[in-house]
Amino acid sequence: MTTTRRCVCPGSYDPVTRGHVDVLTRAAALYDEVVVAVLHNPAKRGTFTVEERVDLLGRALADVPNLRIEPFARVLLVDVCREVGAQAIVKGLRGDTDFAYELPMALMNRHLTGVETVFLPGDPEFAHVSSSLVKEVAALGGDVEGLVPDAVLKALLARVRPGQEG
Ligand code: PNS
């Protein structure tokens, strides 16, 4: 019997960027199945609703067949991994600030259930791209074309620059 190699790629994805798409696509090349876990923090009011984030992820990753997108709330990531039967968590790292943020979480998750975290170096083309920076730049009139998938660009401008998209 062969075991399906499955990973979870967790995040807020508010909204998905091209940096996320790069890491998710590469995770899908390494694992049989990728579960993109949209983890909603109920204490944080997002720019997009969880349903909108799932929809935008779905449109950005429509051509990756072995990947599915699922929302979760008020759960530990390790319990998500257990629920979906994932052996690993995959995260992208843009640099040492990401590593400093991610390492304690990776160690805590391994402490809790033994689940491993696999880090993929982010494509340097997107080293400066984060959901929060993209939203700030877009809201103040900056050009974020090429930093987010096309479907996200439209939705983002409509949300943060209503009435003056484009
Ligand atoms: O995209 P983000 O906001 O950097 O993602 C952070 C996220 C959602 C992956 C992280 O906060 C998380 O894993 N939350 C789930 C709750 C949990 O398990 N917390 C303990 C982590 S050690």
Side-chain angles (χ1 to χ4, degrees):
M1 199 184 78
T2 57
T3 307
T4 301
R5 307 297 302 168
R6 190 178 289 113
C7 74
V8 168
C9 294
S12 309
Y13 300 108
D14 186 31
V16 58
T17 67
R18 285 194 58 209
H20 291 130
V21 170
D22 167 57
V23 170
L24 294 171
T25 307
R26 287 160 57 201
L30 292 172
Y31 287 84
D32 299 322
E33 288 180 19
V34 174
V35 178
V36 182
V38 181
L39 286 156
H40 171 55
N41 179 352
K44 252 171 66 182
R45 214 178 91 82
T47 302
F48 291 95
T49 66
V50 171
E51 293 72 25
E52 288 170 331
R53 295 178 211 180
V54 169
D55 175 63
L56 291 171
L57 276 158
R59 289 201 263 157
L61 293 153
D63 57 349
V64 186
N66 59 330
L67 175 151
R68 67 178 198 265
I69 301 143
E70 288 190 28
F72 295 91
R74 293 182 192 279
V75 280
L76 282 173
L77 179 56
V78 289
D79 290 331
V80 172
C81 292
R82 222 178 339 221
E83 189 180 319
V84 304
Q87 301 88 357
I89 296 161
V90 172
K91 292 267 189 99
L93 292 181
R94 286 165 297 194
D96 50 9
T97 308
D98 278 354
F99 183 66
Y101 172 67
E102 296 292 347
L103 182 62
M105 291 200 283
L107 293 173
M108 178 59 83
N109 288 328
R110 193 162 69 105
H111 168 84
L112 291 171
T113 63
V115 68
E116 297 285 6
T117 298
V118 174
F119 292 123
L120 293 183
D123 188 323
E125 185 184 350
F126 305 118
H128 56 302
V129 178
S130 65
S131 301
S132 52
L133 262 189
V134 162
K135 287 188 286 192
E136 181 179 333
V137 170
L140 297 173
D143 182 8
V144 295
E145 192 168 354
L147 306 184
V148 291
D150 292 343
V152 173
L153 183 63
K154 225 167 157 270
L156 179 62
L157 296 182
R159 183 61 46 92
V160 303
R161 246 194 264 172
Q164 41 169 323
E165 303 97 295

